[in-house]
Amino acid sequence: MVVQQYRDGGGARAVRALAAAGVIAVTAGCFGGDGGGDRGGGAGDGSGQRSVAADRPLDLLGQAADVLVEAGGAETRTSMETAAGGTRVTIRGQGAYDFRKQMGRLRVVLPKDAAGKDAAGAEGHRPITELLAPGALYMKNRGAGVPDDKWVRIDTTGLKDGNLVTGGVTDPMAAAELLRGAADVTYEGKTELAGVTVHHYRGVADLGRAARAASPQSRGALSAAAKGFSKDAVPFDAYLDEDGRLRKVRHRFTFSSDARGPEVTVVSTLLLYGFGLPVTVTLPDEDAIYTGEIRQG
């Protein structure tokens, strides 16, 4: 394994609240992966020589979002794991995302408990459809009193977390843009992911720095997150292929569910594949947006 360090000077009740029908307690005004596997780096290339991937990790991570924009669309799988009070909840999603338009469509599935209920306590809650757009999150089949044929629209720049955890899915572009704030990066060497050779980097991203370096479409949401999280430092593991495309990233977000509550950690994992895929996202008309009262989770 190749390990090299780089620095850039410059209670169960809480979990259920997070995974309520909202998906992560949107209406309660609080916000908060695949938590396991792939923790270690793969073996080096055996040549004894330092690769470009090892020499310039900060540059490569800082450019990861730009490389994805060049790639266009991609398929994605997501998971978001929250643990508190001995209870662990994982929310999973799958769909596609267009990095040029910064728009995507995902199907988000809430977990069920032993009684066959989802994390919000509803019997057989249907998967939630989420549409991601710059500055906005749309959700259908949200529950909590929202009619089945209506969408809920949320201004992500007004969320304390900038929709990094609120929707149960970290916006793929925001996940990549967070790497612009990378520091204290360790190159862990090469490994293989779904048959593709990738370079594994481990480090910490600073939310404020990432927000300042982000694209205009992502800056508002990341700036909100920089103010809302209890910790600006976001540990991450990122995996880039030989073309510099982000194939997998895992972030660990920390926040307080309320002013007096304990800190909660959310592990968000994003997988990207099928690059070049055409992605079509049609946002709902205004008359399809629900404007009534939403029940608290």
Side-chain angles (χ1 to χ4, degrees):
M1 180 176 69
V2 181
V3 178
Q4 295 161 0
Q5 186 76 20
Y6 298 83
R7 294 181 182 273
D8 189 334
R13 184 177 179 182
V15 174
R16 290 194 185 96
L18 292 173
V23 173
I24 303 277
V26 172
T27 60
C30 65
F31 51 90
D34 180 8
D38 218 342
R39 297 286 298 179
D45 60 14
S47 67
Q49 297 181 352
R50 290 159 60 99
S51 67
V52 173
D55 285 335
R56 326 186 269 112
L58 295 176
D59 289 341
L60 291 170
L61 292 170
Q63 296 166 4
D66 298 327
V67 173
L68 290 176
V69 170
E70 293 178 5
E75 294 182 77
T76 180
R77 290 185 182 178
T78 69
S79 68
M80 187 167 287
E81 184 178 275
T82 306
T87 299
R88 190 179 300 274
V89 170
T90 301
I91 300 170
R92 302 188 184 277
Q94 184 171 359
Y97 192 87
D98 186 327
F99 287 94
R100 292 174 182 166
K101 297 180 179 178
Q102 297 193 17
M103 298 178 70
R105 182 184 183 96
L106 296 102
R107 180 178 182 268
V108 178
V109 180
L110 299 178
K112 292 183 178 181
D113 62 19
K117 297 182 179 181
D118 63 28
E123 297 283 357
H125 191 287
R126 288 180 295 172
I128 297 172
T129 299
E130 295 192 3
L131 303 181
L132 307 175
L137 167 66
Y138 298 82
M139 295 190 294
K140 193 173 185 180
N141 295 336
R142 184 194 180 284
V146 179
D148 292 343
D149 61 341
K150 293 291 185 179
W151 293 82
V152 174
R153 183 188 185 281
I154 300 165
D155 179 1
T156 55
T157 63
L159 295 172
K160 289 184 178 180
D161 73 310
N163 195 32
L164 293 179
V165 301
T166 287
V169 172
T170 300
D171 183 294
M173 190 64 183
E177 297 256 38
L178 257 176
L179 298 178
R180 297 186 191 273
D184 296 339
V185 174
T186 299
Y187 177 59
E188 300 287 341
K190 291 183 181 180
T191 186
E192 193 170 281
L193 182 65
V196 177
T197 298
V198 293
H199 298 273
H200 178 192
Y201 304 91
R202 179 171 293 162
V204 177
D206 181 87
L207 280 165
R209 182 186 302 177
R212 291 189 293 273
S215 64
Q217 297 95 321
S218 300
R219 193 169 300 146
L222 288 178
S223 295
K227 297 176 183 177
F229 278 98
S230 59
K231 292 183 179 179
D232 285 342
V234 180
F236 69 85
D237 284 87
Y239 301 79
L240 275 62
D241 65 18
E242 298 286 1
D243 295 320
R245 295 177 299 191
L246 184 65
R247 291 281 183 161
K248 176 180 179 179
V249 63
R250 179 187 291 116
H251 291 105
R252 297 164 185 81
F253 301 105
T254 303
F255 62 92
S256 295
S257 57
D258 58 57
R260 294 172 295 178
E263 287 190 335
V264 177
T265 297
V266 174
V267 179
S268 177
T269 303
L270 170 71
L271 292 171
L272 295 170
Y273 55 100
F275 291 101
L277 175 78
V279 180
T280 301
V281 178
T282 303
L283 300 181
D285 296 331
E286 286 298 322
D287 58 2
I289 305 297
Y290 181 69
T291 59
E293 183 178 355
I294 299 175
R295 290 200 308 264
Q296 299 293 319

